[in-house]
């Protein structure tokens, strides 16, 4: 078996071969942090988390970068509106974004470079483009000269003629050609700005991704991902910038997820029109939201409705319940887990797993891979119903589930329960601190537990804890 990925650049599925065996360099365009995450943006976040998890499951070490756009027009407007600085807006919404990621069961990226922290790299990139004749300055703004890059339009398969037709309405006299795009914007008086060879200003949006990829991942990456709305102009511009400079492809594979069609009337009534992840995860578990997002292929459009979420909740709970019941049986009788599972169970597990991988290798066909998870649920329930099932059977069941769930992460809440050991350890340490009258350490641990969402209660039987 080999992994096939639909490559937008080739308009076809291709066998995935990373540049360096066992190592994958992956970049996914991140958010502009001027507001809370919208459910539409949760789709790429969950899809590319799944892609990364699967690449890791195949034994790859994945460098997964996603940026934070922490300065742009929208950020500046938001800061004015809230009467705080752009940096404060960024801090606030980056923190909120990271909380949302946890609420969606998404693993943190290996790196989250920010525009404001990469300014010298961005300026350097534009300078090099200018030196090569791909950029020109006009009144403190710098533009990319699309006419000089012969391949402009190759990703979105548009030619300059079509593009010119599309944007003929607004004529910007500062540009040599109307399809040229901004690399550097001169600052208006009072706006946040950085010094540059072209005067005070700030970067355009497209250039940041090219500069960050080159700085943190190198000339060519293996996978570049994002929503299909980014294909043009954003990704087209990223290609033009990087490839003009390096002469090499920016990415060997381009992946784009389809839109999430938002809501129905019921959904809007219950959640308001904002449809923010923070409100949705207050009502639905991470496993439910992930189940919903992954129950459709990432290249198909998906309708986000109340009914679809409620149905996802039922299915995700059937999976979580089977996992939790198998775990429980193992806890009751841990003896003999090291022995071989019965051949009937072992054979079916092998078949389930091979089906799961076959589906995943076909361009991450998660809806069919979830069918394999349900085959596992059936087998788990049949085995649970048998009084003579061995611990080895349950251990084998759990291993197979863990392998599939490391990719889909349909029960991240149960994973949180595993963290109970860490809670118990902290409580024991706190008891020890109190015995030694080390009140400051005791308070420190209480605060730490509090930040983990753990409430402590002193009872006559000793310390009890529960999740908030
Ligand atoms: Zn980007």
């Amino acid at each position: 078996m080999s992994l096939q990925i639909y490559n937008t650049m080739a308009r076809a599925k291709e066998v995935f071969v990373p540049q360096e065996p066992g190592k994958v360099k992956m970049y996914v365009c991140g958010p502009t942090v001027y507001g809370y995450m919208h459910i539409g943006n949760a789709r790429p976040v969950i899809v590319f988390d799944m892609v990364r998890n699967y690449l890791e499951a195949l034994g790859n070490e994945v460098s997964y970068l996603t940026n934070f756009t922490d300065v742009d027009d929208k950020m500046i407007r938001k800061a004015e509106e809230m009467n705080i600085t752009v940096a404060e807006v960024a801090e606030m919404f980056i923190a909120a974004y990271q909380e949302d990621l946890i609420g969606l069961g998404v693993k943190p990226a290996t790196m989250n470079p920010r525009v404001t922290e990469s300014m010298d790299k961005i300026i350097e990139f534009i300078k090099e483009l200018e030196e090569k004749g791909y950029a020109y300055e006009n009144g403190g703004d710098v533009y990319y000269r699309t006419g000089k890059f012969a391949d402009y339009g190759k990703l979105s398969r548009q030619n300059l003629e079509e593009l010119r037709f599309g944007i003929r309405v607004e004529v910007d006299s500062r540009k040599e050609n109307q399809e040229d795009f901004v690399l550097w914007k001169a600052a208006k008086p009072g706006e946040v700005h950085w010094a540059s060879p072209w005067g005070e200003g700030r970067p355009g949006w497209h250039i940041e991704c090219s500069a960050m990829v080159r700085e943190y991942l190198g000339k060519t990456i293996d996978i570049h991902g994002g929503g299909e709305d980014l294909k043009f102009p954003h990704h087209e511009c990223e290609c033009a910038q990087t490839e003009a400079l390096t002469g090499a492809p920016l990415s060997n594979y381009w992946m784009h997820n389809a839109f999430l069609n938002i809501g129905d009337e019921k959904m809007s009534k219950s959640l308001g029109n904002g449809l923010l992840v923070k409100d949705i995860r207050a009502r639905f578990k991470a496993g439910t939201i992930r189940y919903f997002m992954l129950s459709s292929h990432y290249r198909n459009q998906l309708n986000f409705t109340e009914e679809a979420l409620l149905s996802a909740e039922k299915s995700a709970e059937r999976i979580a319940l089977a996992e939790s019941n198998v775990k429980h049986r193992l806890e009751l009788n841990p003896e003999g887990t090291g022995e071989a599972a019965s051949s009937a169970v072992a054979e079916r597990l092998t078949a389930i797993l091979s089906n799961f991988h076959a589906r995943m290798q076909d361009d991450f066909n998660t809806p069919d891979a979830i069918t394999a998870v349900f085959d596992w649920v059936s087998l788990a329930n049949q085995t649970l119903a048998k009084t003579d099932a061995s611990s080895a059977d349950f251990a084998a069941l759990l291993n197979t589930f863990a392998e599939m769930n490391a990719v889909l992460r349909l029960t991240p809440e149960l994973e949180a329960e595993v963290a109970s050991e860490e809670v118990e350890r902290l409580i024991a340490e706190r008891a020890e601190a109190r015995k030694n009258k080390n009140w400051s350490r005791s308070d420190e641990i209480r605060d730490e537990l509090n930040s983990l969402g753990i409430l402590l209660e002193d009872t006559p039987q000793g310390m009890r804890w529960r999740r908030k």
Side-chain angles (χ1 to χ4, degrees), residues 380-413:
N381 289 337
Q382 285 161 19
T383 314
L384 285 161
K386 284 188 196 155
T387 45
D388 62 341
S390 70
S391 298
D393 285 350
F394 290 114
L397 273 163
L398 209 54
N399 280 339
T400 300
F401 182 78
E403 189 171 333
M404 297 188 288
N405 203 38
V407 178
L408 304 174
R409 293 169 63 83
L410 297 174
T411 61
E413 291 80 14

Side-chain angles (χ1 to χ4, degrees), residues 27 29 209 224 234-235 238:
Y27 184 89
C29 300
C209 292
H224 193 313
H234 185 56
H235 289 164
E238 285 186 34

Side-chain angles (χ1 to χ4, degrees), residues 27-30 67 205-206 208-210 213 224-225 230 234-235 238 254:
Y27 184 89
V28 178
C29 300
N67 63 317
W205 174 39
H206 312 308
E208 64 183 75
C209 292
S210 285
V213 166
H224 193 313
L230 296 184
H234 185 56
H235 289 164
E238 285 186 34
W254 286 85

Side-chain angles (χ1 to χ4, degrees), residues 325-349:
N325 286 343
V326 169
K327 275 188 179 157
H328 182 65
R329 281 286 279 272
L330 266 178
E331 273 161 17
L332 287 179
N333 185 16
E335 296 293 308
T337 49
E339 288 163 25
S342 65
S343 59
V345 168
E347 274 165 29
R348 281 186 65 188
L349 286 177

Side-chain angles (χ1 to χ4, degrees), residues 16-33:
F16 177 69
V17 185
Q19 299 167 85
E20 195 182 332
K23 294 208 166 144
V24 178
K25 292 177 179 177
M26 188 169 169
Y27 184 89
V28 178
C29 300
T32 303
V33 283

Side-chain angles (χ1 to χ4, degrees), residues 46-95:
I46 291 173
V47 161
F48 291 107
D49 175 65
M50 170 277 292
V51 169
R52 173 230 187 132
N53 296 340
Y54 193 62
L55 291 165
E56 286 179 349
L58 294 180
N60 295 292
E61 187 190 311
V62 182
S63 300
Y64 185 90
L65 252 78
T66 178
N67 63 317
F68 285 130
T69 301
D70 59 352
V71 61
D72 84 336
D73 291 340
K74 290 185 283 262
M75 298 279 307
I76 292 171
R77 273 202 301 275
K78 188 76 183 179
E80 281 167 3
E81 221 176 276
M82 295 178 74
N83 202 21
I84 55 178
T85 65
V86 170
E88 284 164 342
V89 172
E91 281 319 311
M92 179 178 164
F93 290 111
I94 285 174

